[in-house]
């Protein structure tokens, strides 16, 4: 119900793990579990890195979020999702998405 969860850089999906290398793997697992609003298959593409995060591993104590563009059949446009690969948190589907069954 949080309209910013995953959809705004200020409230990214926290997919990190115990080891930093788990972040990219967890990102793919998370994105592969998402579905469109009516259960449609989604496709995604990494759009790059953005948005510095203070106090995270990385250069000079900063890291960047991963930015993905996600779309499904019938969608008017793709949706930006922001993922934090360094911090672990509760995973939910962003508003407008569902989870594969």
């Amino acid at each position: 119900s949080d309209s910013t969860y995953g959809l705004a850089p200020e409230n990214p999906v926290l997919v990190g793990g115990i080891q930093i290398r788990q972040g990219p793997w967890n990102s793919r697992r998370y994105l592969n579990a998402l579905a469109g609003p009516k259960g449609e298959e989604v496709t995604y593409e990494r759009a790059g890195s953005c948005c510095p995060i203070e106090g995270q591993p990385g250069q000079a104590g900063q890291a960047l979020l991963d930015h993905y563009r996600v779309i499904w059949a019938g969608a008017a446009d793709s949706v930006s999702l922001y993922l934090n690969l360094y911090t672990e948190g509760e995973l939910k589907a962003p508003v407008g998405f569902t989870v594969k069954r």
Side-chain angles (χ1 to χ4, degrees), residues 20-92:
I20 290 183
R21 286 173 285 209
Q22 286 180 310
W25 186 71
N26 288 347
S27 293
R28 288 186 299 278
R29 287 180 59 210
Y30 175 79
L31 292 165
N32 289 336
L34 290 179
K38 296 179 184 172
E40 302 94 338
E41 187 77 23
V42 301
T43 58
Y44 57 88
E45 180 175 288
R46 188 173 180 278
S49 298
C50 75
C51 320
I53 326 164
E54 296 292 331
Q56 297 293 324
Q59 195 169 26
Q62 284 191 341
L64 297 172
L65 297 177
D66 273 4
H67 174 210
Y68 285 87
R69 298 296 295 171
V70 183
I71 196 161
W72 56 89
D77 195 5
S78 61
V79 175
S80 284
L81 289 183
Y82 299 91
L83 281 62
N84 178 332
L85 279 62
Y86 305 97
T87 304
E88 188 175 7
E90 181 182 359
L91 299 176
K92 305 174 267 188

